[in-house]
């Protein structure tokens, strides 16, 4: 099993790449709670996406690709100053933490959400969390006190974080693909939560924790899609080892009940089949749908229309896949 084989969404037992044990549970005040204010992004049937750049076109695609490439020039994890011997959490170097935060904000920018910052206190607790996971070669949102290197700060962070068996930079792409979490897609939804931030980022050279619960972010979108409206880098669909076409596209909302919605997807104007699943509530959003392509995959140069009807606020948007290579 490779380093990128396992990840767990905050306060739940979602395991990616190992099994599909999505119990949606977790300790009180963790996985079942929303971070920050609910969205209120208007009442129209479309909401501008793609970094807020307006209508599609070559200029939009160029801007999206420039941002995608610039923010991914440095994907290094940096170094870890701690040690399993003596249970020294140490810290991840500035470059590793900054690179992870840059990727979080890249995905939020693509989804027309505000940037987030990291917080020193949450970073320190997330670092203790990463040490605990590494020391025990396991992931747990409620680590038992008998664990090697257990401490209260790390345990608190474990209940409020996305956690993974990979260092912090690599974990971001993995969270956005979210393999193995078929009933929640919880990691992605937390990162795209309106109220995310500040986050806490801790990492060893093999495990990482991203504190995502309890934010006070300023996002106000009525709904958020992934991939989002407008020009979208096709490379984002396969940035991790799992394809988003395999794990599923998502639409999430805090206020619009999507659960009875009728979904239609078109490719260049022709309807294409998708499997539609209602995701468990309260993983980064109260409501969410997963749309999984059936017998087709995203292609650069194609335009995908998505509509959700039979809901209080109908949703309609287009995703224009562009190649940034």
């Amino acid at each position: 099993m490779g380093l990128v084989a396992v990840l767990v969404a905050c306060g739940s037992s979602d395991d990616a790449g190992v099994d599909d044990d999505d119990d949606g549970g977790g300790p009180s005040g963790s996985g079942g709670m929303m971070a920050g204010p609910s969205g209120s992004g208007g009442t129209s049937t479309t909401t501008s996406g793609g970094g807020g750049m307006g209508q599609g076109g070559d200029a939009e695609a160029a801007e999206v690709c420039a941002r995608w490439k610039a923010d991914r020039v440095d994907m290094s994890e940096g170094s870890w100053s701690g040690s399993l011997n003596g249970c020294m959490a140490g810290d991840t170097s500035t470059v590793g933490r900054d690179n992870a935060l840059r990727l979080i904000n890249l995905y939020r920018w693509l989804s027309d959400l505000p940037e987030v910052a990291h917080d020193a206190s949450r970073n320190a607790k997330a670092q203790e969390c990463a040490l605990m996971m590494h020391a025990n070669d396991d992931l747990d949102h409620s680590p038992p006190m008998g664990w090697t290197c257990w401490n209260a700060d790390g345990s608190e962070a474990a209940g409020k974080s996305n956690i993974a068996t990979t260092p912090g930079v690599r974990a971001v792409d993995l969270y956005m693909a979210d393999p193995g979490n078929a009933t929640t897609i919880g990691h992605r939804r937390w990162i795209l939560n309106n109220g995310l931030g500040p986050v806490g980022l801790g990492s060893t050279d093999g495990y990482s924790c991203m504190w995502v619960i309890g934010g006070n972010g300023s996002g106000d979108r009525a709904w958020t899609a992934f991939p989002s409206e407008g020009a979208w880098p096709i490379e984002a669909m396969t940035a991790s080892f799992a394809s988003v076409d395999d794990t599923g596209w998502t639409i999430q909302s805090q206020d619009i009940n999507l659960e009875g919605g009728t979904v239609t997807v078109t490719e260049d104007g022709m309807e294409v089949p998708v499997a539609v699943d209602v995701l468990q509530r309260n993983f980064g959003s109260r409501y969410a749908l997963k749309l999984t392509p059936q017998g087709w995959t995203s292609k650069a140069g194609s335009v995908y229309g998505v509509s959700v009807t039979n809901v209080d606020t109908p949703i309609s948007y287009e995703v224009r896949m562009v190649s940034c290579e």
Side-chain angles (χ1 to χ4, degrees):
M1 180 173 64
L3 278 177
V4 294
V6 186
L7 51 81
V8 179
C10 46
S12 72
S13 297
D14 331 1
D15 296 342
V18 175
D19 57 49
D20 294 329
D21 179 19
D22 293 342
D23 63 15
S28 175
S30 58
M33 294 184 66
M34 296 295 94
S38 62
S40 56
T43 58
S44 64
T45 58
T46 59
T47 304
S48 178
M53 292 174 290
Q55 300 300 313
D58 291 343
E60 182 194 20
E63 187 171 5
V64 164
C65 286
R67 177 71 183 259
W68 176 260
K69 291 189 285 189
D71 284 2
R72 301 178 68 85
V73 168
D74 186 355
M75 298 286 285
S76 62
E77 299 287 352
S79 58
W80 174 43
S81 65
S83 174
L84 298 181
N85 295 328
C87 294
M88 298 175 58
D91 203 2
T92 186
S93 59
T94 299
V95 65
R97 182 168 282 128
D98 287 350
N99 287 346
L101 183 67
R102 185 179 302 111
L103 290 185
I104 292 169
N105 283 325
L106 168 62
Y107 283 114
R108 287 180 64 82
W109 180 81
L110 286 168
S111 302
D112 199 23
L113 289 162
E115 290 190 349
V116 298
H118 56 73
D119 171 82
S121 175
R122 291 183 175 184
N123 287 342
K125 292 180 179 181
Q127 190 63 38
E128 295 285 354
C129 170
L131 169 70
M132 291 167 55
M133 304 303 151
H134 195 155
N136 294 276
D137 193 24
D138 199 0
L139 300 177
D140 197 323
H141 285 296
S142 301
M145 294 181 68
W147 257 25
T148 302
C149 300
W150 186 95
N151 64 72
D153 284 348
S155 182
E156 179 188 5
K160 297 183 177 181
S161 296
N162 290 346
I163 52 183
T165 60
T166 176
V169 178
R170 196 184 314 169
V172 180
D173 286 335
L174 182 58
Y175 291 143
M176 298 310 295
D178 220 354
N181 295 301
T183 66
T184 65
I185 312 295
H187 309 90
R188 181 193 301 171
R189 288 162 63 191
W190 276 113
I191 291 173
L192 300 181
N193 178 266
N194 273 328
L196 184 70
V199 297
L201 299 171
S203 181
T204 68
D205 54 10
Y207 284 73
S208 58
C209 299
M210 178 194 295
W211 186 310
V212 292
I213 285 182
N216 57 9
S218 60
D220 63 355
R221 290 186 61 88
W223 54 270
T224 298
F226 188 90
S228 68
E229 180 184 18
W232 185 263
I234 192 73
E235 292 79 8
M237 305 300 283
T238 54
S240 187
F241 72 87
S243 167
V244 174
D245 285 329
D246 291 333
T247 60
W249 302 24
T250 49
I251 306 170
Q252 66 189 70
S253 178
Q254 183 64 15
D255 298 318
I256 304 171
N257 187 341
L258 304 169
E259 294 174 359
T262 300
V263 176
T264 302
V265 177
T266 61
E267 179 182 46
D268 298 329
M270 299 292 292
E271 188 169 349
V272 289
V274 292
V276 180
D277 295 286
V278 174
L279 297 175
Q280 290 183 32
R281 294 186 179 186
N282 298 335
F283 283 78
S285 64
R286 182 173 292 125
Y287 307 110
L289 296 177
K290 181 181 68 172
L291 324 176
T292 308
Q294 301 294 291
W296 58 274
T297 57
S298 304
K299 298 194 299 287
S302 288
V303 176
Y304 298 89
V306 181
S307 67
V308 184
T309 56
N310 294 326
V311 293
D312 288 343
T313 304
I315 294 170
S316 179
Y317 61 98
E318 288 188 341
V319 180
R320 187 163 60 93
M321 293 289 177
V322 297
S323 175
C324 294
E325 291 184 350

